[in-house]
């Protein structure tokens, strides 16, 4: 983990000693661990299934979907990588935040967490901007030159995410003899990392995502049909989901940067909640597939076609009124 919260968590119990009693507040760490583990388990099971489906369908429909969905495909890859490292954190929670996986996985766990954090947010911001540009300038947005630009942007986003996360691999390490924990103890590193995460993960992307989506919603407002209203609701759901997934985490990150100025009770509460809100950031791995894929008719259309294609013939029947895809060469409906 990127903070010293692992050691803070392990060294606290239900009793206080000496001067600590002056500001001691009772915090139920057992309930916190159970809640954190339960959330991790949910995000692992649901996020794994959802992102596998999203990657599979987006890869199959890569020729037919608009090029801007390249950002959604890359975001799904980032979310999948994040989900695959959840079991390490689940085990860490079970062992009272002791690290049993060795030094290399300790570094990779923190490194990949921040790579997926940055990249997922970056691709979300790119998709938001591209959605507005494509709506305002539809002909230009589908040109081959613009498609190449999108691919270059994706490469740049991954590169920036990796570069911002390299310090995690360098400074995060396993510490301790009898009880081994995975964290970084260098306070300068923690402050710099927290500031960079707050800046590139929230302060910069948030206005980009909000402004782009609001402008997109206003651009489709001219039409009063049901589909237009539904589209605007989905667009506003993008903003709400982003705020729900990331705001609690970045509030804690912001407060941790100024922990020396916090009252003792607030200081304890901040680090008490740190692991839980960090866990809850994985909610984007569950919400992103729903909002950016499953809620759209085109994706559900291709998902149905892909499922039907691999179903035994006895479960499907022909229907002259419904066309699934050119790839199936015939018309089928699930019975």
């Amino acid at each position: 983990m990127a903070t010293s919260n692992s050691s803070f968590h392990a060294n606290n119990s239900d009793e206080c000693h000496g001067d600590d009693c002056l500001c001691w507040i009772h915090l139920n760490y057992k309930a916190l661990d159970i809640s954190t583990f339960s959330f991790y388990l949910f995000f692992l099971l649901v996020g794994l299934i959802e992102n596998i489906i999203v990657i599979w369908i987006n890869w199959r429909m890569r020729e037919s979907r608009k090029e801007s969905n390249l950002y959604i495909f890359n975001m799904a890859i980032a979310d999948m990588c994040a989900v695959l490292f959840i079991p390490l954190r689940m085990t860490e929670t079970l062992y009272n935040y002791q690290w049993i996986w060795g030094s290399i996985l300790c570094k990779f766990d923190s490194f990949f967490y921040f790579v997926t954090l940055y990249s997922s947010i970056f691709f979300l911001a790119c998709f938001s901007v591209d959605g507005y540009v494509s709506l305002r300038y539809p002909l230009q947005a589908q040109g081959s030159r613009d498609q190449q630009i999108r691919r270059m942007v994706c490469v740049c986003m991954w590169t920036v995410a990796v570069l911002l996360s390299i310090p995690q691999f360098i400074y995060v390490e396993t510490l301790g003899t009898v009880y081994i924990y995975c964290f970084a103890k260098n306070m300068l590193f923690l402050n710099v990392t927290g500031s960079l995460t707050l800046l590139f993960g929230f302060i910069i992307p948030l206005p980009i995502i909000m402004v782009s989506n609001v402008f997109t919603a206003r651009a489709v407002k001219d039409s009063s049909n049901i589909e237009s209203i539904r589209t605007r609701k989905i667009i506003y759901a993008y903003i709400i989901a982003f705020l729900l997934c990331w705001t609690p985490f970045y509030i804690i990150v912001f407060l941790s940067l100024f922990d020396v100025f916090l009252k003792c009770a607030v200081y304890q509460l901040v680090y008490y909640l740190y692991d839980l809100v960090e866990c809850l950031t994985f909610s984007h791995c569950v919400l992103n597939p729903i909002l950016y894929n499953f809620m759209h008719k085109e994706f559900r259309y291709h998902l149905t076609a892909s499922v039907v294609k691999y179903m035994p013939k006895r479960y499907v029947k022909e229907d002259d009124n419904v066309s699934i895809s050119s790839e199936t060469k015939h018309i089928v409906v699930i019975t």
Side-chain angles (χ1 to χ4, degrees), residues 9 11 15 28 36 49 84 103-104 126 134 139 144 167 171-172 202 212 278 287-288 292-293 303 316:
H9 185 288
N11 292 331
E15 298 180 356
N28 191 332
T36 303
I49 295 172
L84 291 176
S103 177
I104 296 299
C126 291
S134 298
L139 296 179
S144 58
Y171 288 97
V172 175
F202 194 74
S212 299
E278 186 178 57
L287 291 177
N288 286 346
Y292 295 94
N293 294 275
L303 175 59
V316 299

Side-chain angles (χ1 to χ4, degrees), residues 1 4 44 54 77-78 82 87 102 106 108 110 176 217 220 227 236-237 249 256 259 271 284 299 325 335:
M1 304 178 73
S4 58
L44 173 63
V54 168
I77 293 176
C106 168
F108 272 111
S110 183
V220 301
E227 189 62 31
Y236 288 127
F249 173 69
S256 67
D259 56 3
Y271 285 97
H284 73 275
F299 181 87
S325 71
T335 60

Side-chain angles (χ1 to χ4, degrees), residues 43-320:
F43 296 146
L44 173 63
L45 297 178
V46 179
L48 188 64
I49 295 172
E50 286 184 349
N51 285 286
I52 287 176
I53 294 174
V54 168
I55 292 173
W56 173 47
I57 297 302
N58 275 276
W59 177 256
R60 283 179 54 82
M61 53 196 290
R62 62 189 180 279
E63 299 298 332
S64 60
R65 293 198 79 180
K66 57 185 180 181
E67 194 69 22
S68 61
N69 285 282
L70 180 64
Y71 300 126
I72 300 301
F73 180 74
N74 280 271
M75 185 166 62
I77 293 176
D79 291 344
M80 172 64 76
C81 292
V83 167
L84 291 176
F85 274 80
I86 287 180
L88 300 182
R89 291 168 176 259
M90 293 173 65
T91 308
E92 188 182 27
T93 305
L94 281 177
Y95 281 84
N96 195 29
Y97 292 86
Q98 296 179 52
W99 187 261
I100 65 172
W101 300 107
S103 177
I104 296 299
L105 278 180
C106 168
K107 291 178 176 291
F108 272 111
D109 173 63
S110 183
F111 172 75
F112 275 108
Y113 172 77
F114 278 89
V115 169
T116 57
L117 179 153
Y118 285 124
S119 57
S120 183
I121 294 174
F122 290 168
F123 289 125
L124 188 54
C126 291
F127 177 79
S128 300
V129 173
D130 195 278
Y132 175 72
V133 173
S134 298
L135 186 64
R136 296 293 296 179
Y137 311 100
L139 296 179
Q140 295 89 329
Q142 298 303 319
S144 58
R145 179 175 176 273
D146 292 89
Q147 294 175 6
Q148 293 176 355
I149 291 175
R150 290 187 182 98
R151 294 188 180 98
M152 292 175 60
V153 168
C154 288
V155 173
C156 291
M157 294 300 97
W158 280 112
T159 302
V160 172
V162 169
L163 291 176
L164 288 172
S165 305
I166 287 178
Q168 299 293 329
F169 190 85
I170 297 174
Y171 288 97
V172 175
E173 57 186 335
T174 53
L175 297 170
T177 52
V178 178
Y179 301 105
I180 300 175
Y181 301 98
C182 175
F183 64 96
K185 65 177 181 179
N186 188 307
M187 293 308 300
L188 177 60
F189 162 77
L190 293 174
N191 291 330
V192 171
T193 299
S195 301
L196 289 176
T197 305
L198 187 63
L199 178 64
F200 289 99
F202 194 74
I203 294 177
I204 294 177
L206 178 61
I208 294 175
I209 293 171
M210 292 187 66
V211 171
S212 299
N213 282 300
V214 169
F215 281 0
T216 302
R218 291 179 61 183
V220 301
K221 192 176 181 179
D222 297 335
S223 176
S224 60
N225 58 57
I226 297 177
E227 189 62 31
S228 174
I229 296 173
R230 182 176 181 274
T231 300
R232 291 202 301 272
K233 289 181 179 179
I234 294 176
I235 292 173
Y236 288 127
Y238 294 163
I239 300 174
I240 295 172
F242 180 83
L243 292 174
L244 290 177
C245 290
W246 296 107
T247 302
F249 173 69
Y250 283 110
I251 289 176
I252 296 297
V253 170
F254 176 78
L255 292 175
S256 67
L257 292 175
F258 302 96
D259 56 3
V260 295
F261 302 105
L262 299 177
K263 293 183 178 180
C264 187
V266 178
Y267 174 88
Q268 291 183 54
L269 187 61
V270 165
Y271 285 97
Y272 172 78
L273 294 173
Y274 193 101
D275 289 306
L276 178 61
V277 296
E278 186 178 57
C279 166
L280 292 177
T281 60
F282 286 89
S283 60
H284 73 275
C285 301
V286 173
L287 291 177
N288 286 346
I290 295 174
L291 289 174
Y292 295 94
N293 294 275
F294 292 105
M295 291 189 68
H296 296 274
K297 289 183 177 179
E298 184 184 2
F299 181 87
R300 297 197 302 269
Y301 176 85
H302 283 82
L303 175 59
T304 302
S306 300
V307 172
V308 167
K309 181 180 178 181
Y310 292 100
M311 289 180 65
K313 291 183 178 180
R314 65 178 179 274
Y315 292 112
V316 299
K317 66 180 181 181
E318 294 190 356
D319 189 318
D320 293 333

